[in-house]
Amino acid sequence: MFRRFAGIIPGGALKMFECPPVELTTLLEVAWQSRAYDDRQSTDLRLPLGHPGNRSDLAPQHDDKLLNLLKSTMGIAAPDGLVTIWAPAGVPATGRTVLWDHLIYAYMIENTRIYEIFRQVLFEFLHGEKLGAPTAGAEHWLRNTEELFYHDPPPLSITNIASHIRPDLRATRRNAYWRMFGMDLNHGSNEGQPYSYIKADAYNNEFVTVFEELLREVWIAITNIKNETGPNPTDSGKMENLVENLHDMLISRRQSGNLSREEFFAVAAMSWFHLTVSFNESPIIVALRAEAASPEQRLFKVAQRVGLPAHGLSKSYFDIADAISRILIQIEASNTAIVSSFVGEGTEINAVQKTMNTIITHWSLITGRDMKAGKVAVR
């Protein structure tokens, strides 16, 4: 989300990092206000709540009149939407088209341990000068990062998912990951202990199994794209069944807009940290002298400075995050219609197949299970 805002703000990410916290929280409120939303009067035609084109009907903190005034005063505009992914025929253009990344994006980025590493960065800078004195630009970044992501969100804000009922934001994110994917993060507490959070009884316990089977089937389709003469093992029927299964389990967790706010804030948080390590001029990267050639190398340098190691496969987590987010959103939006893109036409690999190839490669590295190898039958 913040990466998308950085693309439309004059001055880009550097300017955004200098914005006061109230403007940054307003950015998020504006994004929520402008979310993709189907407001057709007929409930028979309207997309169900939870669909990418209709994630939630909860209102932002301020009503439209006040929020529009804040937008005008601060010069804030919503980022471009992704109407082509979700809009079915007949849905009128409302100007509300913002679609944030899928929860899987936040899950992948957080697995690099980026949140814990920058928590330690804040701890050191705010308690002493072990890391040296922060630069002027880093002071802005430190203030904003602490206010936004290591502090209870503003009362009544759409991002406020902390309360006496769920006081720990990290535990709330883990709970959402568990419910949607049946997966925990790959690290526990900084002391090496399992992280305590509520594991819901209702969760998608078959997500990994079904998703991996789909990856294997798509790989078969990709490797046979130029097969015009011999037997072709591409099985579109099986892919349709797997996609429908994935669609149903993901949407079942989103009934009535469930988990939308949790997803929105998790994605916003991880996009902030992802953006932070995306370029060498990032103020905290400069302050830590952590300039490097890629996001994961910058993160490794930051991690080394604070003595908290990043995940060794951080590159794969960064590389897979956007790709897998796009595919899961498309599966939720179009169900089995995406299968034709998995199968492809002609003899050239298409854009969706390229995206799936990225996912297959990095999922294999992350899990240690080769999605390009066939399943071994157990006798």
Side-chain angles (χ1 to χ4, degrees):
M1 184 59 66
F2 281 109
R3 293 184 302 156
R4 205 174 301 170
F5 270 116
I8 65 171
I9 293 175
L14 288 176
K15 180 63 177 178
M16 188 177 70
F17 285 148
E18 293 179 354
C19 290
V22 67
E23 289 191 16
L24 295 173
T25 56
T26 302
L27 285 177
L28 294 178
E29 292 291 325
V30 167
W32 183 268
Q33 179 198 41
S34 303
R35 71 195 178 281
Y37 181 63
D38 186 355
D39 58 358
R40 287 177 290 182
Q41 294 300 311
S42 173
T43 55
D44 293 334
L45 296 175
R46 193 181 307 153
L47 296 171
L49 282 172
H51 184 283
N54 199 23
R55 284 295 195 211
S56 173
D57 63 358
L58 294 177
Q61 177 181 10
H62 306 294
D63 62 28
D64 283 354
K65 185 176 181 180
L66 179 55
L67 194 52
N68 289 339
L69 177 61
L70 289 172
K71 285 162 57 178
S72 176
T73 302
M74 297 179 184
I76 293 173
D80 293 335
L82 298 171
V83 180
T84 54
I85 285 182
W86 65 266
V91 176
T94 62
R96 298 178 60 171
T97 60
V98 172
L99 181 62
W100 52 85
D101 286 302
H102 198 278
L103 184 64
I104 196 73
Y105 166 84
Y107 174 80
M108 292 299 176
I109 298 300
E110 191 160 5
N111 266 315
T112 66
R113 215 178 181 187
I114 197 168
Y115 184 84
E116 308 298 339
I117 290 166
F118 278 111
R119 183 181 187 277
Q120 194 64 28
V121 168
L122 264 76
F123 181 89
E124 297 296 350
F125 272 124
L126 298 177
H127 285 90
E129 297 181 18
K130 178 180 177 181
L131 301 176
T135 62
E139 286 280 10
H140 288 284
W141 185 92
L142 290 165
R143 179 198 179 193
N144 286 329
T145 304
E146 183 181 25
E147 287 281 348
L148 289 171
F149 307 118
Y150 299 96
H151 188 283
D152 288 349
L156 309 181
S157 169
I158 200 66
T159 62
N160 189 2
I161 55 173
S163 68
H164 295 304
I165 307 299
R166 44 179 184 175
D168 185 347
L169 288 172
R170 286 178 286 182
T172 297
R173 287 198 301 272
R174 287 177 186 255
N175 171 268
Y177 300 149
W178 176 258
R179 291 160 69 183
M180 190 68 78
F181 313 118
M183 297 190 291
D184 195 358
L185 295 175
N186 57 30
H187 56 274
S189 68
N190 290 352
E191 293 73 33
Q193 299 299 314
Y195 202 92
S196 178
Y197 69 98
I198 302 298
K199 286 189 173 182
D201 293 333
Y203 70 100
N204 290 330
N205 62 319
E206 294 186 354
F207 173 82
V208 172
T209 301
V210 175
F211 187 66
E212 289 189 349
E213 190 63 21
L214 177 63
L215 295 183
R216 293 188 181 96
E217 290 299 321
V218 173
W219 178 247
I220 291 172
I222 291 173
T223 56
N224 282 275
I225 192 72
K226 295 184 178 181
N227 183 357
E228 297 179 336
T229 56
N232 191 332
T234 299
D235 190 341
S236 58
K238 184 175 182 180
M239 280 188 274
E240 286 182 358
N241 183 62
L242 292 167
V243 167
E244 185 173 20
N245 197 345
L246 282 172
H247 170 272
D248 291 350
M249 70 172 73
L250 292 171
I251 292 299
S252 70
R253 299 278 77 80
R254 295 186 181 276
Q255 294 181 76
S256 302
N258 201 19
L259 291 178
S260 290
R261 286 198 304 141
E262 291 80 0
E263 177 183 60
F264 179 77
F265 192 49
V267 165
M270 294 308 130
S271 70
W272 176 270
F273 293 112
H274 191 178
L275 180 63
T276 293
V277 297
S278 291
F279 62 111
N280 278 332
E281 294 76 21
S282 177
I284 198 67
I285 296 298
V286 172
L288 292 168
R289 299 185 296 279
E291 295 90 343
S294 62
E296 73 278 1
Q297 291 301 323
R298 295 181 193 104
L299 182 61
F300 289 152
K301 285 192 172 184
V302 174
Q304 188 176 32
R305 291 295 307 276
V306 298
L308 193 63
H311 196 281
L313 293 173
S314 290
K315 174 175 170 52
S316 286
Y317 283 114
F318 282 126
D319 287 351
I320 197 176
D322 285 320
I324 195 170
S325 171
R326 289 196 300 272
I327 291 298
L328 291 193
I329 288 173
Q330 287 181 284
I331 287 174
E332 289 183 359
S334 64
N335 203 339
T336 57
I338 195 176
V339 172
S340 61
S341 296
F342 290 160
V343 175
E345 295 181 357
T347 59
E348 297 299 325
I349 187 170
N350 62 39
V352 171
Q353 289 173 323
K354 288 179 181 177
T355 300
M356 289 297 286
N357 193 28
T358 297
I359 297 169
I360 290 165
T361 297
H362 293 292
W363 185 279
S364 298
L365 290 170
I366 288 166
T367 63
R369 298 186 291 272
D370 188 359
M371 297 298 105
K372 297 180 181 181
K375 291 182 70 174
V376 178
V378 178
R379 297 183 182 277

